[in-house]
Amino acid sequence: MGSAVGFPTFHVKTEWMNVFKAMKLKHPEVVKLYELYNRVDTDNNGEIDIVELLTLLDIDRTTFSERVFLAFDKDHTGQIDFYEFVVSLWKFCTLSSSSISKFSLHILQSS
């Protein structure tokens, strides 16, 4: 594990910040994402569970939404850490419309 990079409002592992920088995220964007992450983490345990994520997205719990959560939860812990949150949102937000359709179809076919 790498050391943490300290900022006035949060601490992020150095290797995570290196990835965020490679994703062309600027410091203020990472800060805003961290603030959002903490608002979503309503039980303040430092991770987001499926209920917290679905509340953020304002969607019901279905087989599809559970599969989307699993796509975010790369280490299969049942929780999403800040790194998984940022990387997953970035991947989703940079997909084209056709890629989102393919992703959705893949998720549905995996059910």
Side-chain angles (χ1 to χ4, degrees):
M1 296 273 165
S3 62
V5 175
F7 295 101
T9 57
F10 69 108
H11 294 279
V12 176
K13 294 179 183 178
T14 303
E15 63 267 22
W16 293 4
M17 282 304 299
N18 291 337
V19 172
F20 299 161
K21 286 177 186 173
M23 293 164 45
K24 305 293 187 213
L25 291 173
K26 295 179 176 30
H27 172 74
E29 295 167 324
V30 176
V31 170
K32 286 189 183 283
L33 286 167
Y34 190 77
E35 290 168 353
L36 173 63
Y37 180 83
N38 282 321
R39 283 195 309 269
V40 174
D41 178 22
T42 56
D43 62 7
N44 298 311
N45 70 347
E47 297 180 309
I48 296 174
D49 62 31
I50 190 167
V51 172
E52 291 167 325
L53 181 67
L54 296 180
T55 300
L56 166 70
L57 301 174
D58 193 27
I59 58 175
D60 294 328
R61 189 169 186 162
T62 64
T63 301
F64 178 76
S65 64
E66 288 175 357
R67 294 254 180 218
V68 170
F69 180 84
L70 292 173
F72 275 57
D73 182 20
K74 295 296 185 190
D75 59 3
H76 309 290
T77 62
Q79 303 284 324
I80 299 170
D81 62 29
F82 181 61
Y83 178 80
E84 291 169 319
F85 181 75
V86 172
V87 171
S88 295
L89 286 177
W90 183 84
K91 286 180 181 177
F92 184 77
C93 291
T94 58
L95 291 175
S96 66
S97 295
S98 64
S99 295
I100 290 172
S101 295
K102 289 176 188 175
F103 168 77
S104 298
L105 183 59
H106 173 74
I107 293 291
L108 288 172
Q109 291 174 342
S110 300
S111 301

